Amino acid sequence: MSLKLTILGCHSATPRVNAHPTSQFLEIKNHNFLIDCGEGTQVQLRKHSIKFSKIKHIFISHLHGDHFFGLIGLISTFRLLNRETELHIYAPKGLKEIITLQLKLSNSWTSYPLYFHELTSLKSKLIFEDSKVEVHTIPLNHRIYTNGFLFKEKLGERKLNMTAINKYPEIQICDYQNLKIGRDYTLLNGNIIKNEVLTLAPSKPKSYAFCSDTSYFPEILPIVKNVNCLYHETTFLKDKEELAETTKHSTAEQAASIAKQAHVEQLMIGHFSSRYKDKTNFLQESKAIFPNTILAEEGKTFEIT
Amino acid sequence: MSLKLTILGCHSATPRVNAHPTSQFLEIKNHNFLIDCGEGTQVQLRKHSIKFSKIKHIFISHLHGDHFFGLIGLISTFRLLNRETELHIYAPKGLKEIITLQLKLSNSWTSYPLYFHELTSLKSKLIFEDSKVEVHTIPLNHRIYTNGFLFKEKLGERKLNMTAINKYPEIQICDYQNLKIGRDYTLLNGNIIKNEVLTLAPSKPKSYAFCSDTSYFPEILPIVKNVNCLYHETTFLKDKEELAETTKHSTAEQAASIAKQAHVEQLMIGHFSSRYKDKTNFLQESKAIFPNTILAEEGKTFEIT
C-alpha cells in the first residue's frame, strides 16, 4: 500500500472559516500518525471521517499556536470518548507542562495512558521505531525550537516468486517465511537453490518528510534527500522574501530549491499566508524550479507512491 | 436599545462540525462582552461578522475545556491583528497561568495590555462596573469552581418631556442635563417646577443572567430574580436526571423550575448534550413548567427586551 496523507489544515497563523491551521493525517504501514494539531483539528478529523481511535502517535513540530492549539481539545475529547489505548506525543519540551496544567485545573485527567516524548536536540534523532517504520526529527530554522519529521518505511521482506517456487513441489507453505527473510532453499537431494531464484526484491521503502515552519535551510538536505514526498512550508511568495527572512519562513521558490537539491520525487507546499487569495501563484513559482510540485489542499487525500 | 445576544456555540463537551461549544456575544449599552470561549470561537466570530476589536472584556465561567479552549487562540489572533487596546479577562484562578505559560513558550507576548481578574469567591461579587453597566458573578454548583454572570444596566437618566418643557420658553438646551439628572427647575419669577413635571421616568434597566454549567441550584434565585432573560444550561432531559445529578448538570425541567421561581421574563436554554438530536424535546419539557422558554441556536441573535 502507498503512504496516504490527508491534509486537515494547510494555512498559517489564525484559523478562518475555510482556512484551517496546520494538521495532517499520515497512514504509513500499520500506523496512523497525526502531524501538528492547530485549533479545530478535531472538527476537521470528524469532517473527513477519520476515526479518532486510530490515532496513537501525535507529532508536534513547534509551540506556535497554529500548530498545537487544537491538541488539548483533542486529548480531552479522547477522554470523553472513553479512550483506553495509550497516546504518545512527540513535541518540544514545554508541551507536557501546558497540557498537564490544563488537565489538572479542569480536574479532568485522561482515562488512558498519555506519554510525552519531549524533544530538545538540535540534531536529527530517531524518535520512533518498530519493525516496519521509523521516524526521525528534522531540525528546522524557525523563531522558536522547531522540528520537521521524516517518516520512513523499513525495507520489507522479499516477495515470493510463485512461478519459480511452483517448479519445486517439495517447497511447502511453511518454508515461505524463510524465503521471505532471504534464506536459500536446500532440496532433499542436497542441491541449494539461491534465494534470488525463488523470490523478488521487496518494494522500495517509501518516505515522507514534513518541514514546517522554517526559513530556507539547506542543512536539512542530507535528511530529506531522495524522499518520495517532501512537504515544505511556503508561507510567502518571492515578493515577500525579506519578510520570509525576518519571520523565518520560506517562499515557494526557496521550498522548490530545497526539493531540487534534495532530489526528492515530489514536493507538496502549504502553510500559506492569508494575504494570498489565489494559491496558483505558489504553484507557478515553485514549478518554475521544481516541476513536480503539488499544492496542499484541505480535506484532500494524497497517495505518496 | 435592547440588549443583543448572539449565540456562537450552545453545545456541551466536544466541538463537532455543526455543534460548537459554549460562547456568547453580548451587546449591552456601550459594551461588547464575550461570555465563555470554547474551541473554535474565533472562527464563529468571523462567521457571524463580529469585529474582533469590539471585544474588550471576556468572562469565563469555569475551566472545563468546552468553555475556554478557544481563548488562547483568540488572544493570539488579537496579537496577529496588531491589537493595541487593553483586554480584560474575568475567570477562575488558574487561567492566567494557563495563558501566560503558552505565551511564554511560544515566545509570543501580546502587543496589547492583557489583564486577568482571577475569581475565587464563593459569594456573588461585583466584578465590573462603569456608569452604565455592572456585572456580578453568580456562584454555581458544578464539578469544579464555576460562576455564572449577571449583566445589569444601571438606571439611566430621566427622559425629557419636550411637550412640558416647551411650555416654558426660558428653559434652554443647556438646562437639559440638570433636568435629566433629576433637578427641579427654578423660573426667573422664583417659581419652582418639579422635575417630574418636565421629565419622564427612565427606561427600566435590562438584565441578562448567564448560568452554565450547574446542577439544579436554587441558591442562585436571589441573584437572578426578575431578570429579563435567564440563560440556564440544560445538558440533559428529565430522562437523565440521575446523570445530571452525578455530573452536576441540569435537566430542562430543572432550568424551567429555576426560571419560574425567579420570576424571570424569559428563559433561554442551551449546552445540549450531543446524545439528543432533536432539540424540540428540551423546549417541550421546559415550556410545560415555564412557557416563555426559547432555545439557544448557534448563529442567531436575540434581542432581550
Side-chain angles (χ1 to χ4, degrees), chain A residues 138-154:
Chain A
I138 309 171
L140 300 173
N141 186 28
H142 193 42
R143 302 194 302 278
I144 57 171
Y145 177 69
T146 304
N147 289 296
F149 301 102
L150 171 65
F151 302 88
K152 276 170 71 175
E153 290 177 356
K154 288 187 174 179

Side-chain angles (χ1 to χ4, degrees), chain A residues 13-17 38-43 46-47 63-65 68-70 72-74 76-77 80-81 93-95 97-98 101-102 105-108 143-144, chain B residues 13-17 38-43 46-47 63-65 68-70 72-74 76-77 80-81 93-95 97-98 101-102 105-108 143-144:
Chain A
T14 66
R16 289 157 191 266
V17 178
E39 183 175 351
T41 293
Q42 61 173 312
V43 176
R46 282 191 196 275
K47 201 167 162 185
L63 298 186
H64 278 159
F68 86 94
F69 281 167
I72 179 67
L74 186 60
S76 301
T77 294
L80 293 167
L81 296 174
K93 189 171 162 58
L95 188 66
E97 192 184 348
I98 289 171
L101 175 64
Q102 293 181 81
L105 287 169
S106 64
N107 196 21
S108 307
R143 302 194 302 278
I144 57 171
Chain B
T14 67
R16 288 158 191 263
V17 179
E39 183 175 350
T41 293
Q42 60 174 313
V43 176
R46 284 193 196 275
K47 200 167 163 186
L63 298 186
H64 279 158
F68 86 94
F69 281 168
I72 179 67
L74 186 60
S76 301
T77 295
L80 292 167
L81 297 174
K93 188 170 165 57
L95 188 66
E97 192 184 349
I98 290 171
L101 176 64
Q102 292 182 82
L105 287 170
S106 64
N107 196 19
S108 308
R143 301 194 302 277
I144 57 171

